[in-house]
Amino acid sequence: MAVDITLLFKASVKTVKTRNKAIGIGLDSPKDEIFKRSRPKIGFSPKAKEVITNITKLKDFLLQHRKDYVSAGSLISSDLTRMTDNERDQIDQDAQIFMRTCSEAIRQLRNEAVKQVSSAQVKEHRGAVLDLIEVYLRGVCKLYSEQRAIRVKRMVDKKRLSRLAPEHHSRVGKTPEPMEEKTVKEESSEKSVSEVPNNTLNLWEEGRVEDELSPEEIQMFEQENQRLVSEMNSLVDEVRQIEGKVVEISRLQEIFAEKVLHQETEIDSIHQLVVGTTENVKEGNEDIREAIKNNAGFRVWILFFLVMCSFSLLFLDWYDS
Amino acid sequence: MAASVREKQTVALKRMLNFNAPPLKNSAAEPVWKVLIYDRFGQDIISPLLTVKELRDMGITLHLLLHSDRDPIPDVPAIFFVMPTEENIDRICQDLRNQLYESYYMNFISAISRSKLEDIASAALAANAVTQVTKVYDQYLNFITLEDDMFTLCHQNKELISYHAINRADIQDTDMEAIMDTIVDSLFCFFVTLGAVPIIRCPRGNAAEMVAVKLDKKLRENLRDARNSLFTGDNMAAGQFSFQRPLFVLADRNVDMATPLHHTWTYQALIHDVLDYQLNRVVMEEGAGGDPSPAGARPKKKNRKTYDLTGADRFWQKHKGSPFPEVAESVQEELDTYRTQEDEVKHLKSIMGLEGEDEGAISMLSDNTAKLTSAVSSLPELLEKKRLIDLHTNVATAVLDHIKSRKLDVYFEYEEKLMSKSTLDKSLLDIISDPDAGTPEDKMRLFLIYYITAQQAPSESDLEQYKTALLDAGCDLSPLNYIKQWKAFTKMAATPANYGNSGVKPMGLFSRVMNSGSQLVMEGVKNLVLKQHNLPVTRILDNLMEMKSNPETDDYRYFDPKMLRGSESSIPRNKNPFQEAIVFVVGGGNYIEYQNLVDYAKFKQGKKVVYGCSELSNAGQFIKQLSQLGQK
């Protein structure tokens, strides 16, 4: 296992110091240190650190209120820990605004880092630092969206559960079942929906003369009521389901969007390559044409030279003889 | 050894990268960024264990070589992971003077001496940077772990401790001492990381014995030094669940000279033999076309591809020891499974399109969204699988090309028969004079194995015949001189090594070809099945672990660093068979021995065997060393 020899190092520092003193080498006064310490507070890394502290604050805030946020809340829980829907929406909004500002800050830092002229290593380092911060922010955003998904899912489940109860209700009548506070509103609306036809029926019945009060007609009206009620229920049901599915789809959509963006950059690069390729091919064609021309021209010159040589030979021969 | 050596080393590295504090399990922790600076030794140690992505996840933004030009990056802590050599120390002092980074965490791969520490201290004082040097550590990680149970000592300067360096005729005592010190230092670091004090056994009269003596002394000194012993404290308690101490067997390369030259048939060993395979990384040239380009045209550019064969690759872990035809089949199987999964995902697309308009789809929608989610989340896995399949197809095709062009299967079969002393159907001369069976190096290897395993030396006339045939084929005869010397020497010392019975059974060629419609066309290549047999090193280990008595291993020396008085006897105190063993070969090792030991460990349930060597050399490199030795 690794051995910590920092103390040994400090001891050697002391030894060297005493040795230097003994030999008489002057020590630099430590005043430069103070200067160095008070480096300008502006600069890349303090700003980056600031962004990180902000994101950490957001994370702590989310984690702190997570339990209250997610809890469905039962009837017997105390009022202190329960959150109203408004509070939850408030938290959602605040968190979103915060995340947007953080990503803005990261983008700004990135632009700054690119603009500032510094060595390649420092640029790479800063790019990597910003990537790390982005990954951190993404992790915290995931926390938030998980919370939100859990909350929506619970609501949907709750609605679905409470959906079953009013079916029995309208048949049996007013039975005091323990209902959750959230669904009291819908329930009462449903009860009123089922009650109103009953009431109107009763009124109608009371106002009408005996000839209309045949049991078949009552039953028919009751059936119609029930059909209407069930239709409305199923519609509301479907709407709730769709809502849940839409949340899931939005998550998938996010994944796809990321992939499509990634592909966009790749397609851009492919486009560049293709443009470069067509240019190269064009140049290649030009070169080939030139080469053919040169070849032809070369051949002409060779022929000419040979003909000249033979003529000169003939001439010399004629001259000699 | 509850955790493997590789895990222990990785854990130690991660801790070092986390500013020498144990890494937290919290995944959403704040990022802290740092810069990692290493020298070539550090690079070799880190690269098989951690990928660049893992480094990034740990917050390392830049990783640089110590001796490169580095620009100042203020307000960033820097972690150094270097060997404590003179030049490294000088460079560190220079960095301190130039104030490159905000704080410095020094980690030395092996222990640093006091004087060098004082050099750094004086440089730090001169630069007023003493407060910046935050921590100094001795990491004791001076070895390279390649697999879960295999390690080697060094890769950078391996000529310094190679077989050639140890066995050359003109070696000086000081050189030998230096080599031994390097080896012992690394072995000591290995045992510190492992957290166990072994029982050492070694043969007499060669380099292995010298290493054992020195290692024993070093361990003993460290154990006696109560103040800062490395083997006490919570390091031991945490890692040890077994109460037995491991057995450390030191072997010398001279005990078995045929195995490094042997042609192999298992996947990993073939890759090491035929392709450029170092530190778990294969470098190949792609697009090496068969037909030569027409005259006058520009030569086709060959791009080099690099592949990493890591522990995360499940196919590799399963098949690195399998014979080659099996590998080819498995690649085909994997490809088929991948295609079916891909089809499923594509099928989903058509389902989605159809059911969009259906009224009752809303209730079915839940299933489809769930299916879609699962398909999308499994997509990265599929892509990764595809990449691995591509990788293995390319590598296997390259190996197959080599096998076909050099007829390596013929060589393998023949050598197996030689080593098991079964009857030979073809004469050696035929193979050597066959012009298109292998490179001259292959023929030389075959002949050397024949020479080594022959019970009595071939007659002079035979030898001359062989020599002329070899010279015709273009081989260099200097290794032969050295092997003659070696054989004479070992004949005096002990009986020649017996390679055990092995059978090589060629499977019916046509049945296999019909069964697998694989892309890797294996026709023309014999389908050979390996039978279990034990190489000399494995047999030695078997004898020592099971406390069997055998004339080969009876006079091995016995060292126990924990005993109060060092004894010269070779009578082991411990009569029980060992459960864990570490085999170390001084002078060079190879994957064939490693594979053999892995098979042996699998065969004997419940035993763990770790293989180590001073350097990894494939047959080509070993032959070069032998020819250098033979030329003296």
Side-chain angles (χ1 to χ4, degrees):
Chain A
M1 298 299 134
V3 176
D4 188 353
I5 49 177
T6 319
L7 296 171
L8 202 61
F9 178 71
K10 302 253 192 284
S12 359
V13 168
K14 275 203 196 83
T15 344
V16 174
K17 238 191 235 172
T18 43
R19 205 191 308 154
N20 285 348
K21 245 193 225 148
I23 306 179
I25 301 177
L27 301 161
D28 288 326
S29 51
K31 67 174 175 339
D32 308 283
E33 273 194 39
I34 307 174
F35 260 148
K36 277 191 230 124
R37 284 291 161 261
S38 67
R39 262 188 296 247
K41 272 303 173 188
I42 51 170
F44 179 76
S45 98
K47 278 195 220 146
K49 287 211 176 67
E50 223 182 281
V51 176
I52 290 193
T53 41
N54 286 344
I55 300 179
T56 318
K57 267 191 255 170
L58 171 67
K59 182 177 83 153
D60 292 336
F61 175 73
L62 280 177
L63 282 176
Q64 203 183 14
H65 291 131
R66 178 169 245 205
K67 196 158 164 295
D68 299 331
Y69 187 90
V70 166
S71 72
S74 58
L75 273 183
I76 38 179
S77 69
S78 66
D79 297 281
L80 294 168
T81 52
R82 249 185 331 194
M83 269 195 192
T84 60
D85 253 347
N86 286 343
E87 282 183 16
R88 290 206 173 99
D89 290 333
Q90 182 74 16
I91 291 182
D92 282 348
Q93 257 185 344
D94 287 341
Q96 275 178 0
I97 295 176
F98 206 82
M99 282 191 270
R100 229 168 280 146
T101 40
C102 285
S103 51
E104 260 303 311
I106 295 179
R107 217 174 311 150
Q108 259 185 356
L109 273 175
R110 210 183 272 274
N111 293 342
E112 258 187 49
V114 163
K115 259 189 299 186
Q116 263 184 24
V117 169
S118 31
S119 68
Q121 284 181 3
V122 177
K123 258 199 210 110
E124 201 187 320
H125 163 74
R126 289 191 178 169
V129 166
L130 286 168
D131 286 335
L132 280 172
I133 300 182
E134 252 188 71
V135 165
Y136 184 48
L137 179 64
R138 224 175 283 157
V140 173
C141 291
K142 221 165 68 124
L143 266 180
Y144 162 73
S145 58
E146 268 173 22
Q147 261 180 239
R148 194 129 190 280
I150 294 179
R151 169 194 174 196
V152 169
K153 204 155 166 282
R154 287 221 181 169
M155 273 174 31
V156 167
D157 287 340
K158 244 186 300 180
K159 304 280 191 289
R160 209 180 297 161
L161 259 161
S162 60
R163 234 342 98 318
L164 298 170
E167 293 289 325
H168 301 289
H169 254 250
S170 50
R171 301 253 179 79
V172 174
K174 264 169 75 166
T175 41
E177 247 183 52
M179 274 298 169
E180 296 171 8
E181 194 186 272
K182 282 267 152 12
T183 58
V184 161
K185 253 192 312 179
E186 282 95 36
E187 241 206 340
S188 51
S189 64
E190 268 140 26
K191 266 197 250 169
S192 51
V193 161
S194 56
E195 269 178 13
V196 160
N198 278 339
N199 284 340
T200 47
L201 199 55
N202 290 339
L203 286 171
W204 191 249
E205 278 180 61
E206 280 166 12
R208 291 266 297 221
V209 192
E210 306 81 11
D211 56 341
E212 306 268 24
L213 277 181
S214 52
E216 296 92 20
E217 294 217 348
I218 293 176
Q219 227 183 22
M220 211 180 61
F221 280 133
E222 260 192 53
Q223 276 180 7
E224 209 177 313
N225 282 344
Q226 281 171 21
R227 197 176 47 84
L228 281 169
V229 163
S230 57
E231 259 188 54
M232 305 286 256
N233 282 344
S234 64
L235 276 176
V236 174
D237 213 359
E238 285 166 7
V239 166
R240 295 268 172 240
Q241 273 194 8
I242 291 178
E243 193 182 312
K245 297 319 155 201
V246 165
V247 166
E248 275 186 45
I249 290 180
S250 75
R251 244 185 320 140
L252 287 173
Q253 154 83 352
E254 197 187 310
I255 300 179
F256 281 134
E258 201 185 303
K259 298 274 183 251
V260 165
L261 281 174
H262 184 62
Q263 282 182 3
E264 183 193 345
T265 47
E266 292 195 359
I267 291 177
D268 273 337
S269 68
I270 292 179
H271 174 71
Q272 301 276 4
L273 278 173
V274 164
V275 164
T277 314
T278 44
E279 289 195 18
N280 286 348
V281 166
K282 258 188 254 160
E283 278 178 31
N285 282 342
E286 298 285 336
D287 285 338
I288 292 177
R289 236 171 265 140
E290 278 232 16
I292 295 177
K293 252 194 305 183
N294 285 347
N295 210 8
F298 187 58
R299 238 182 274 140
V300 166
W301 280 111
I302 290 282
L303 260 167
F304 178 66
F305 173 71
L306 283 172
V307 166
M308 277 292 109
C309 277
S310 51
F311 272 132
S312 66
L313 265 174
L314 283 171
F315 174 70
L316 285 169
D317 185 50
W318 170 81
Y319 189 71
D320 247 354
S321 60
Chain B
M1 289 193 278
S4 70
V5 176
R6 176 152 67 170
E7 280 166 29
K8 289 214 172 116
Q9 205 178 20
T10 319
V11 162
L13 275 178
K14 285 202 176 147
R15 195 160 65 193
M16 170 190 84
L17 292 175
N18 199 23
F19 300 130
N20 303 103
L24 306 160
K25 280 297 180 188
N26 189 4
S27 52
E30 276 189 17
V32 184
W33 48 81
K34 35 192 120 90
V35 172
L36 174 66
I37 307 195
Y38 45 68
D39 62 347
R40 293 206 183 273
F41 286 96
Q43 191 179 30
D44 287 338
I45 295 177
I46 297 182
S47 62
L49 293 175
L50 296 172
T51 60
V52 177
K53 183 172 174 307
E54 284 175 11
L55 286 178
R56 280 279 151 98
D57 287 340
M58 300 208 62
I60 308 271
T61 53
L62 281 183
H63 41 93
L64 306 162
L65 268 182
L66 180 66
H67 289 285
S68 58
D69 290 322
R70 278 171 288 126
D71 307 311
I73 309 181
D75 44 68
V76 158
I79 302 185
F80 284 78
F81 185 58
V82 295
M83 286 286 276
T85 63
E86 277 299 323
E87 347 168 295
N88 291 354
I89 305 281
D90 287 337
R91 188 61 200 261
I92 293 181
C93 297
Q94 198 183 1
D95 288 345
L96 282 171
R97 277 193 287 273
N98 296 348
Q99 300 274 340
L100 289 181
Y101 308 109
E102 181 203 355
S103 56
Y104 300 81
Y105 292 80
M106 312 274 180
N107 295 284
F108 293 106
I109 301 179
S110 65
I112 185 174
S113 65
R114 187 70 194 250
S115 59
K116 296 212 178 87
L117 203 56
E118 284 184 6
D119 286 339
I120 303 185
S122 52
L125 258 182
N128 254 327
V130 180
T131 45
Q132 287 182 341
V133 178
T134 323
K135 283 198 188 164
V136 183
Y137 265 77
D138 277 338
Q139 286 292 336
Y140 289 103
L141 286 175
N142 191 9
F143 58 97
I144 303 174
T145 313
L146 293 172
E147 309 274 349
D148 269 349
D149 45 2
M150 174 168 178
F151 70 98
T152 169
L153 286 194
C154 77
H155 181 73
Q156 270 312 309
N157 298 335
K158 57 181 181 174
E159 314 82 50
L160 292 177
I161 58 171
S162 66
Y163 182 75
H164 167 73
I166 298 179
N167 292 46
R168 60 198 163 118
D170 55 349
I171 189 168
Q172 315 256 1
D173 272 344
T174 44
D175 294 337
M176 199 63 175
E177 286 294 316
I179 297 177
M180 291 298 131
D181 279 336
T182 338
I183 298 184
V184 166
D185 184 41
S186 303
L187 282 176
F188 181 69
C189 295
F190 175 73
F191 283 113
V192 170
T193 313
L194 204 57
V197 180
I199 294 182
I200 309 177
R201 304 227 43 196
C202 68
R204 290 184 194 269
N206 51 23
E209 190 182 8
M210 300 208 298
V211 171
V213 165
K214 278 194 177 221
L215 182 64
D216 178 60
K217 201 167 97 178
K218 192 151 184 182
L219 284 170
R220 210 180 284 269
E221 276 172 13
N222 196 275
L223 282 172
R224 302 284 166 269
D225 187 3
R227 216 166 17 114
N228 44 5
S229 164
L230 295 156
F231 290 99
T232 55
D234 41 8
N235 304 332
M236 283 278 276
Q240 291 277 75
F241 288 117
S242 61
F243 295 99
Q244 257 205 350
R245 291 162 59 191
L247 169 69
F248 183 55
V249 176
L250 270 166
D252 192 283
R253 181 77 267 157
N254 286 325
V255 78
D256 171 16
M257 291 288 277
T259 313
L261 300 166
H262 187 32
H263 285 94
T264 82
W265 200 239
T266 58
Y267 193 30
Q268 187 175 34
L270 264 175
I271 294 181
H272 184 68
D273 195 9
V274 155
L275 301 172
D276 182 10
Y277 178 60
Q278 298 183 13
L279 293 180
N280 290 354
R281 177 171 287 198
V282 180
V283 181
M284 289 182 358
E285 289 190 349
E286 284 273 299
D291 22 87
S293 45
R298 223 167 356 147
K300 248 194 298 189
K301 257 193 261 207
K302 297 184 189 162
N303 33 345
R304 320 195 69 208
K305 302 283 279 280
T306 319
Y307 298 117
D308 277 322
L309 296 165
T310 61
D313 185 349
R314 258 177 352 145
F315 180 83
W316 173 244
Q317 291 300 326
K318 214 165 64 143
H319 287 281
K320 59 186 178 192
S322 341
F324 194 63
E326 216 178 284
V327 170
E329 270 183 46
S330 317
V331 170
Q332 195 58 25
E333 272 173 33
E334 290 277 316
L335 197 57
D336 291 335
T337 27
Y338 167 73
R339 288 228 180 95
T340 42
Q341 281 178 329
E342 204 181 350
D343 287 339
E344 268 177 36
V345 174
K346 289 205 187 124
H347 196 49
L348 207 56
K349 198 170 67 163
S350 49
I351 294 183
M352 295 304 295
L354 283 175
E355 303 221 36
E357 298 99 22
D358 196 359
E359 271 234 6
I362 296 180
S363 53
M364 304 260 255
L365 201 57
S366 58
D367 299 332
N368 280 347
T369 10
K371 263 194 253 174
L372 196 57
T373 329
S374 63
V376 165
S377 52
S378 70
L379 219 52
E381 282 172 32
L382 275 182
L383 285 174
E384 178 68 19
K385 223 174 167 183
K386 175 165 198 303
R387 188 185 70 92
L388 289 175
I389 293 178
D390 276 341
L391 190 160
H392 283 288
T393 317
N394 287 344
V395 170
T397 322
V399 173
L400 187 63
D401 285 338
H402 276 271
I403 292 182
K404 277 204 268 199
S405 63
R406 286 157 63 176
K407 291 220 191 132
L408 291 178
D409 49 334
V410 171
Y411 279 99
F412 173 68
E413 196 184 351
Y414 203 78
E415 282 167 13
E416 284 282 314
K417 289 208 183 115
L418 274 178
M419 283 171 55
S420 65
K421 303 193 193 354
S422 42
T423 52
L424 312 165
D425 47 358
K426 250 165 106 162
S427 123
L428 185 59
L429 210 51
D430 286 340
I431 300 190
I432 293 185
S433 14
D434 188 356
D436 57 20
T439 65
E441 203 180 88
D442 291 325
K443 298 187 181 153
M444 198 61 204
R445 277 160 72 175
L446 181 60
F447 182 66
L448 284 174
I449 293 183
Y450 166 72
Y451 194 80
I452 293 173
T453 57
Q455 287 285 20
Q456 63 272 55
S459 62
E460 273 306 313
S461 55
D462 276 348
L463 201 56
E464 282 309 312
Q465 238 188 346
Y466 286 131
K467 272 197 190 162
T468 36
L470 285 170
L471 281 171
D472 285 337
C475 311
D476 172 25
L477 284 180
S478 31
L480 189 56
N481 303 337
Y482 178 72
I483 294 288
K484 272 197 211 157
Q485 286 178 327
W486 172 81
K487 191 129 190 197
F489 180 71
T490 48
K491 249 211 183 94
M492 292 192 312
T495 55
N498 183 14
Y499 286 85
N501 293 329
S502 92
V504 172
K505 208 175 28 112
M507 293 268 301
L509 179 62
F510 280 118
S511 58
R512 287 298 210 143
V513 168
M514 294 305 186
N515 288 346
S516 66
S518 90
Q519 280 177 340
L520 306 175
V521 176
M522 295 283 293
E523 36 193 60
V525 174
K526 291 199 204 163
N527 220 318
L528 303 169
V529 171
L530 289 176
K531 280 217 275 213
Q532 172 71 319
H533 66 300
N534 282 339
L535 293 176
V537 174
T538 320
R539 267 210 326 279
I540 293 175
L541 175 69
D542 188 37
N543 292 337
L544 288 173
M545 254 177 112
E546 306 285 342
M547 313 303 253
K548 289 188 209 158
S549 107
N550 184 307
E552 246 182 283
T553 57
D554 267 348
D555 65 340
Y556 267 41
R557 293 189 63 186
Y558 178 86
F559 292 100
D560 186 348
K562 271 195 172 161
M563 286 201 311
L564 283 174
R565 237 175 326 117
S567 67
E568 281 297 314
S569 74
S570 58
I571 305 169
R573 294 282 226 85
N574 193 355
K575 290 294 177 196
N576 309 329
F578 289 92
Q579 298 299 114
E580 297 159 3
I582 306 162
V583 181
F584 188 80
V585 180
V586 177
N590 50 49
Y591 280 100
I592 309 173
E593 283 178 349
Y594 168 61
Q595 198 51 49
N596 206 259
L597 283 171
V598 166
D599 291 336
Y600 170 76
K602 250 191 283 190
F603 178 64
K604 296 246 174 183
Q605 304 282 346
K607 307 258 185 187
K608 280 186 71 165
V609 179
V610 174
Y611 177 70
C613 49
S614 54
E615 46 125 11
L616 257 186
S617 49
N618 64 7
Q621 294 160 346
F622 196 68
I623 278 237
K624 267 202 213 84
Q625 292 180 18
L626 289 180
S627 46
Q628 275 177 335
L629 285 169
Q631 273 163 8
K632 298 274 166 49

